[in-house]
Amino acid sequence: MKQVISLRDLQEMLRNGKDARSLPADALLTPSARDFLREIETSGSARGGAGNGARAGHPVTPITSRSSKADIEAFFNSPAIHALKLQICEIGRRLWQRAYVDGNGGNIAIRVGEDIALCTPTLVSKGFMKPADMCLVDLEGNQLAGTMKRTSEILMHLQIMKRQPRAVASVHCHPPYATAFAVAGVEPPTCMIPEFEVFASVAIAPYRTPGTPEMGALVADLVDKHNTILMANHGVVTWSHNNVEDAYFKMEILEAYCRTVLVASQLGKPVNTMTPAQLQDLLKIKQNLGIPDPRFGLKECELCDNDEWRPGVTCAVPERSGAPGSSSAAPDPEAEALVQAITDQIMSGSK
Ligand SMILES: [Zn+2]
């Protein structure tokens, strides 16, 4: 079967230092991939590490933090990196439009080499960034290129990338519904919506001051088995082994889920959850997609009723406590039976 190559595939190849012209002869290119290939061929940078004098067929030394200043600068200004800068601007725009960021909050990072990453600048609204605003840093957070200062929260992204070698991109923001769960210290309950089960693996990291190495370390401790970390009293960070848009998708999926669960819990009816067998089916899909989850390998009977692997999570929305004067709280059958029994006793005694 012929291989279909998309724009994303080409960008992935460049990021991994591969030559975009070494495609199978019969590969089919999508229209955007064809345009992109034409553009980089005319600029002579069809290979990752673009701008460092690479010519087709010649070995290229990938750019690292130890490359010369001139090579780093050329790489930073290459068409391949420009395409990734545009992607970051686009994801920033989506974050702002969906009200997942406020003020200058939120940040985005893409790994572009063995020990280097492209990231957003500090003190800028994520909705209105330009490619020229982007920064290049090494994995310790030292800035290598870019005129604006890199985000102070980059340390967390870099610690994720160091601890989770599969992480190629990460997104951090403050989506209100998911952040509300993070403020309450409640992990969203599971077993309700397939997309959430398949694409997100959630855990909560304790609060530390944003931008500190301590905060990054607490998040990094969780990224082996989770790709979506609720940061207590702060926000959310996601990482992807595919690309930056995929990291952003996890944010949309999490936020929509938290919102839906919250609304469902207010409808006055117990919510329906999927069965362990149904969940097992979704986990198989998840494993095939290469997405981590601490539940892989658990028996079906353990999937929905095991508070050791994910403390506090059960396959049901926590029962509403029923605030005083609230008539919308779901009735508690046991309490109702008790009230009935007492009433009956009083009635029979008064006869
Ligand atoms: Zn933040």
Side-chain angles (χ1 to χ4, degrees), residues 30-279:
T30 63
S32 55
R34 203 179 308 119
D35 290 348
F36 183 71
L37 199 57
R38 204 174 295 134
E39 188 192 322
I40 56 180
E41 273 183 338
T42 50
S43 67
S45 54
R47 184 188 272 269
N52 59 354
R55 288 291 172 270
H58 289 259
V60 175
T61 317
I63 296 292
T64 70
S65 64
R66 299 172 301 282
S67 300
S68 73
K69 182 91 187 117
D71 279 354
I72 288 175
E73 205 55 43
F75 174 68
F76 184 65
N77 294 308
S78 67
I81 294 299
H82 184 72
L84 295 177
K85 290 175 183 172
L86 286 172
Q87 276 183 31
I88 293 181
C89 294
E90 164 64 15
I91 296 301
R93 195 178 57 76
R94 291 197 222 172
L95 289 174
W96 185 83
Q97 281 183 335
R98 279 191 167 263
Y100 292 177
V101 288
D102 37 275
N104 54 50
N107 23 79
I108 303 164
I110 302 179
R111 191 199 290 253
V112 291
E114 172 202 321
D115 68 344
I116 47 175
L118 195 62
C119 71
T120 47
T122 188
L123 299 174
V124 167
S125 165
K126 300 297 131 3
F128 306 90
M129 297 184 295
K130 301 180 293 296
D133 297 338
M134 299 307 144
C135 315
L136 191 72
V137 293
D138 67 19
L139 289 196
E140 303 311 313
N142 301 309
Q143 188 150 352
L144 302 172
T147 49
M148 295 189 69
K149 188 173 164 15
R150 52 79 167 163
T151 167
S152 62
E153 286 188 293
I154 189 62
L155 296 180
M156 173 178 71
H157 296 260
L158 300 171
Q159 277 168 287
I160 291 174
M161 289 172 184
K162 277 198 274 191
R163 196 75 74 84
Q164 175 50 273
R166 296 175 65 225
V168 296
S170 47
V171 173
H172 162 61
C173 61
H174 313 144
Y177 289 88
T179 302
F181 277 81
V183 168
V186 175
E187 274 189 30
T190 56
C191 303
M192 290 187 213
I193 292 181
E195 279 72 15
F196 178 75
E197 299 301 334
V198 171
F199 295 108
S201 299
V202 178
I204 302 187
Y207 178 82
R208 290 293 185 281
T209 304
T212 58
E214 294 75 35
M215 178 73 257
L218 287 168
V219 167
D221 283 344
L222 298 166
V223 296
D224 179 30
K225 297 208 163 85
H226 303 90
N227 59 12
T228 303
I229 316 294
L230 293 180
M231 301 157 69
N233 299 86
H234 182 168
V236 186
V237 60
T238 58
W239 65 265
S240 165
H241 64 290
N242 291 321
N243 52 58
V244 68
E245 189 182 42
D246 186 49
Y248 167 76
F249 280 171
K250 294 180 201 324
M251 208 60 89
E252 279 193 1
I253 290 165
L254 171 72
E255 180 66 352
Y257 184 75
C258 289
R259 193 173 174 181
T260 305
V261 164
L262 209 66
V263 174
S265 69
Q266 293 169 341
L267 294 178
K269 293 222 167 195
V271 296
N272 299 316
T273 53
M274 51 190 77
T275 65
Q278 289 168 333
L279 181 64

Side-chain angles (χ1 to χ4, degrees), residues 322-340:
S326 154
S327 58
S328 62
D332 177 342
E334 258 182 40
E336 278 194 19
L338 191 65
V339 169
Q340 191 59 51

